[in-house]
Amino acid sequence: HRAIARIEHEQGWQRERGGRYQVRDEQLVRADQGVPVQREPTTAARDFENLTGQKSAQRTVIEEGADLMRRARSWRELHELLAERGMRFERKSSGALLWVGETAVKPSTAGRDCSMSALEKRLGDFKPQIEHPLVRPRMPEPVAPASPRWGEYISGRQDHYAAKKLEHERLGQRQRDERGRVARAHRQERHQILGGDWRGKGMVLNALRSVLAARQAKEKAAMRDRQQLERATCRERFPSWPLFEEWTRHHSPELAERWRFRDRKQAGIMGDRDDPARPRDIRAFEAEARGWEVLYSRIGARGGPAFVDRGRQILIHDLTRDSVLGALQLSAQKWGTFTVFGSDDYKRQCVALAAEHGLRIANPELQQAIAGEKERRQDHHRRLAGHTRQPPVRARDRPRAPEVTAERRKPVRDVGEAYARHFEELCRQRGRADLSRVDAVVAVRLRVTGYGRKQVDRAIREGAPKLRPNEARDWDEYAKRTVDHAFGVSGERGLSRMEKDRDRLLTLEGRAQVREEMDRDMRPFPGLGRGR
């Protein structure tokens, strides 16, 4: 198991499921060492939080009750600590219940060391609280991060259900009283009519009983229908209180969107005035009006919309370059000047696009970055203008790479410097037309000179953004794709072609002596390939 962990770490492979060991900070440790078990509420409890915005009783027990039960040194102290937080501990059969307000939760929800058996091992036999302490009433609490209008929502919800409960109790008591009065009246009527001596009049008595029973049954049926209608009217007067997102959307669609995407930082654009959403022409996108929104989707693409125009703001769901550019162009058409909000990566992307396309972003904190990006682009264009165009050179007429100078023969300190040297040489040979292909060749070169998969991945992930700071990419995914290519089938073909250039590549890195060491190490194993 230790060997497997080291091999996985060196090769950059995904850890085997259930592996006992892993490498952390270059040290081999148990996989479960130092990893705390994070308790989470059940799915039902999380659904309750999502629908109402209110913290569930299970989360309260996990976040507060667990600490109180672990701190207590006696049952009396435990009861007092819980009472201060609006909770109480009670035995239930062979287990226990922890009450949070009017909701019961199993104490083991907080952890195995909080179960009834674990507490009795630590605190002794269970002792109920003889003198019941004054339990502090526990008010509803919001789930973090709380919405600004959650207090108003939960207050209205409590008032609504309190009024509904009161009306339901009043109606129920009134209907029970009515049923009692009717039953007594019917009983008294039967006693008066059917009382007395009916000897010799059995047929008349039976007929009278039948008529009386039919009339009283009709009265009871009419009463049941009337009471059923009263209960239906009560339900219509007090329908279910809307879910938090629905309630918020009715009062403020913007807050509803913020609540819906509270776990992630929503990217969007805000204008300086109200402009009703209506379909507009953006080249690569098609518009669909849906209610008071306009959804923009990439032409021919499947899935959800790339961005949504909601009048005064535009919400962006697809953060690829084309989608962000389309949203910015729509904003420029609507408002001219606008404000962007979202993650730092999204803002950096907006800065690059604004400098490239002359868009006006109003964020004060981005003005310096936009000015710097414009200046950098102008310097780049001036440098390009200073070079004369050369006719295309055929591959067979292309000059060979210049000899490696003494300065370039200095040994590289790490794989990052090796990556930079290979990248620079290839750019001088091929130009900077397609840098993704350059990186693909560099990755194979690094494999030829003996670097492993993990080292090459780190070099590209850290080095490529430094050499191309203006490209808006997901560099982690980019590095993964490049390394998969270099260590896959295509990389095998490139590896076989570059074997003859190994000495020159090692000399470029200042590591000519590595070739001799590699040959010496491989001598006892003639069947193994190199660079694997």
Side-chain angles (χ1 to χ4, degrees), residues 4 82 95 109 155 159-160 187 204 245 248 285 345 474 525 529:
I4 289 173
L82 292 176
T109 302
S155 177
D159 294 343
H160 172 81
R187 190 165 51 249
V204 177
E245 184 177 337
T248 309
F285 297 87
D345 290 339
D474 183 349
F525 306 96

Side-chain angles (χ1 to χ4, degrees), residues 75 94-96 112-124:
W75 285 108
S94 60
R112 293 184 177 180
D113 57 339
C114 298
S115 64
M116 185 64 169
S117 57
L119 290 174
E120 285 188 323
K121 288 181 181 179
R122 187 165 57 88
L123 305 179

Side-chain angles (χ1 to χ4, degrees), residues 442-462:
V442 170
V444 178
R445 281 188 171 197
L446 293 176
R447 184 181 176 187
V448 170
T449 57
Y451 291 104
R453 181 188 186 99
K454 185 177 179 180
Q455 294 171 305
V456 177
D457 180 270
R458 185 175 69 249
I460 296 176
R461 188 172 63 253
E462 296 176 357

